[in-house]
C-alpha cells in the first residue's frame, strides 16, 4: 500500500503539462496548482488535506 501513496503524485503529470500549455508554457507554481485544481475539479477537502510536515498534500503532489 505504501507504493500507491508514494506514486500518487504521478497522476498529476498530464494535468500539469496541460495547465502549463494553457498558461502559455510557464507560470508560477501557485498558478499551476490553481489551474489544475479547477480543470480537474479537485474538491476542497482534497485541496485542504495537510501532511504531517504541515504542507498541503495536493500542492506538494503537483509540485
Amino acid at each position: 500500500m505504501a507504493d500507491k501513496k508514494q506514486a500518487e503524485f504521478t497522476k498529476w503529470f498530464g494535468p500539469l503539462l496541460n495547465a502549463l500549455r494553457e498558461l502559455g508554457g510557464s507560470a508560477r507554481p501557485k498558478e499551476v496548482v490553481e489551474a489544475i485544481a479547477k480543470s480537474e475539479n479537485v474538491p476542497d477537502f482534497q485541496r485542504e488535506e495537510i501532511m504531517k510536515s504541515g504542507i498541503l498534500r495536493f500542492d506538494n503532489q503537483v509540485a
Side-chain angles (χ1 to χ4, degrees):
M1 192 67 128
D3 290 338
K4 183 182 177 207
K5 274 289 188 195
Q6 290 175 347
E8 191 174 337
F9 71 94
T10 60
K11 70 181 176 183
W12 301 114
F13 286 179
L16 172 66
L17 293 173
N18 291 337
L20 286 171
R21 283 186 201 106
E22 291 172 13
L23 294 167
S26 67
R28 295 186 181 273
K30 194 67 178 166
E31 292 171 315
V32 176
V33 168
E34 293 301 321
I36 292 170
K38 183 178 178 183
S39 70
E40 299 297 310
N41 298 311
V42 178
D44 288 341
F45 77 87
Q46 187 176 354
R47 299 224 29 222
E48 296 167 358
E49 184 181 354
I50 298 174
M51 298 171 29
K52 289 179 186 177
S53 62
I55 298 171
L56 291 170
R57 183 176 302 279
F58 176 74
D59 291 16
N60 183 63
Q61 289 178 341
V62 171

